[in-house]
Amino acid sequence: MKFKKLRRIYRTLFPVKFSEEQKFINKLKASSLIKEFKQFNSLFVLKFYNDELIYLRDQSHSDYAVFNQMFILEEYKTVSSILKLNIEFNSKESVLIDAGANVGFATIYLNQNLSFNKIFCIEPSKENFKILKKNTAALNSKHILFLINKALSGSENVCFTIENDFRDGKDWSITTKESDSGDIKGITLNEIVKKNNLQEITLLKIDIEGAERFVFESSSDLSFLDITKVIVIEIHDEFNIRANIYSILEQKQFILIESGETTIGINKKHLKF
């Protein structure tokens, strides 16, 4: 007993200094969601208790922070509840569009709770897109899945470059900038709607690190909102666009709810009551 007390005192006075990698691994070990995990260089493969696999990169990336937001803090729990309780949800016709899909955690979380028929993931970063493909591979057998390595745009035939100087500069904070010489093609929501003959967008999630200012420009075609039942959008106030987006959504008959960092819009035309 004396030895244990002495050891506790010693550890208090001289705490063990873990490397950033070991701190990261300790987080994974401590998670109640993770049954087991394996490491392959900088890539980790996590197994949930339902045996679902999740891929994420090491501590030099933002993947764990997004994992924490989606699966531990359940950032989109409110929007899932709103859809279940207030919107007519036909699983055979339901459509999820995840703009700013990152590595796919939001898509996985939302689909776990609602199970969409068609899923569109839009992600401009080639590196994020590689992990997105791994994380959504299992969805192919049960859903109609479209992975789009482009930038969400407000206008057709626009190209973009990746900007890495937004916020903390990590993978979850990259933003896009319109550029005639850009190597990333843009895609509009209306192009997706027309090409796939969509009759509804059940849930539209937009988290594109400030590039929402392009989508909601006054000159943009916003007709996709007419068939959107619920929108969840993270608005980045660095660009002073919140009031404009709120005004557009209210004109389109959306009821707005602020939930954490996101704004949820519910289309009045599609309420059950």
Side-chain angles (χ1 to χ4, degrees):
M1 290 296 289
K2 289 182 179 180
F3 176 75
K4 288 183 179 180
K5 288 181 180 178
L6 288 171
R7 186 169 63 181
R8 282 199 297 271
I9 294 169
Y10 180 84
R11 288 303 182 204
T12 302
L13 295 173
F14 304 100
V16 176
K17 293 184 178 180
F18 293 112
S19 66
E20 290 304 310
E21 180 182 12
Q22 190 58 53
K23 289 178 185 176
F24 180 81
I25 290 172
N26 288 344
K27 285 181 183 178
L28 299 183
K29 288 179 177 178
S31 174
S32 60
L33 296 178
I34 301 170
K35 182 179 181 180
E36 59 185 28
F37 64 88
K38 293 181 180 179
Q39 181 178 3
F40 301 91
N41 297 318
S42 64
L43 186 67
F44 289 78
V45 184
L46 317 182
K47 181 182 281 190
F48 284 178
Y49 279 92
N50 64 359
D51 289 332
E52 187 171 6
L53 298 180
I54 293 286
Y55 295 81
L56 57 78
R57 293 164 294 188
D58 65 15
Q59 68 280 352
S60 63
H61 299 269
S62 58
D63 295 358
Y64 182 80
V66 183
F67 174 88
N68 184 66
Q69 276 187 337
M70 291 300 113
F71 298 108
I72 298 173
L73 300 178
E74 294 192 89
E75 188 175 74
Y76 291 150
K77 185 176 182 178
T78 300
V79 72
S80 296
S81 297
I82 285 171
L83 261 169
K84 287 178 181 177
L85 296 173
N86 299 286
I87 302 295
E88 293 290 350
F89 189 87
N90 184 336
S91 59
K92 293 182 179 179
E93 298 177 0
S94 58
V95 176
L96 167 65
I97 297 181
D98 184 352
N102 195 261
V103 295
F105 294 156
T107 291
I108 293 166
Y109 176 84
L110 290 165
N111 194 63
Q112 282 176 343
N113 285 272
L114 294 159
S115 191
F116 294 88
N117 179 37
K118 292 181 181 178
I119 300 170
F120 297 80
C121 295
I122 309 165
E123 172 55 44
S125 164
K126 289 181 173 60
E127 293 305 311
N128 287 348
F129 195 76
K130 289 177 185 176
I131 310 301
L132 171 65
K133 288 172 71 175
K134 288 179 175 292
N135 278 327
T136 56
L139 298 177
N140 262 319
S141 61
K142 297 181 180 179
H143 310 273
I144 302 170
L145 178 67
F146 301 86
L147 301 181
I148 304 169
N149 190 197
K150 294 182 179 181
L152 190 63
S153 175
S155 304
E156 295 183 16
N157 303 314
V158 178
C159 291
F160 296 83
T161 56
I162 291 285
E163 299 287 305
N164 293 298
D165 58 353
F166 187 59
R167 292 192 173 177
D168 65 4
K170 289 190 175 182
D171 315 278
W172 63 347
S173 295
I174 63 167
T175 188
T176 54
K177 182 180 179 181
E178 291 185 9
S179 172
D180 292 337
S181 59
D183 61 347
I184 299 168
K185 292 183 179 179
I187 188 168
T188 70
L189 288 163
N190 286 318
E191 284 180 288
I192 294 172
V193 169
K194 291 173 186 175
K195 183 177 180 180
N196 297 280
N197 194 30
L198 299 182
Q199 303 304 305
E200 72 170 60
I201 301 171
T202 316
L203 176 59
L204 171 59
K205 172 250 176 186
I206 299 178
D207 185 1
I208 50 179
E209 304 306 312
E212 63 271 16
R213 66 191 187 278
F214 303 127
V215 178
F216 288 91
E217 285 180 339
S218 58
S219 59
S220 298
D221 179 1
L222 298 169
S223 58
F224 65 87
L225 289 172
D226 297 327
I227 64 166
T228 299
K229 291 187 172 182
V230 176
I231 182 171
V232 56
I233 179 170
E234 183 170 338
I235 300 172
H236 299 79
D237 289 316
E238 291 91 335
F239 301 99
N240 194 29
I241 52 179
R242 184 177 295 272
N244 180 56
I245 293 176
Y246 279 13
S247 176
I248 289 169
L249 292 174
E250 286 168 353
Q251 288 172 29
K252 290 286 187 177
Q253 301 299 302
F254 281 84
I255 302 167
L256 302 182
I257 301 168
E258 291 185 348
S259 176
E261 295 182 345
T262 62
T263 297
I264 302 167
I266 309 164
N267 195 323
K268 292 179 185 177
K269 294 180 294 185
H270 299 288
L271 286 170
K272 283 182 180 179
F273 313 106

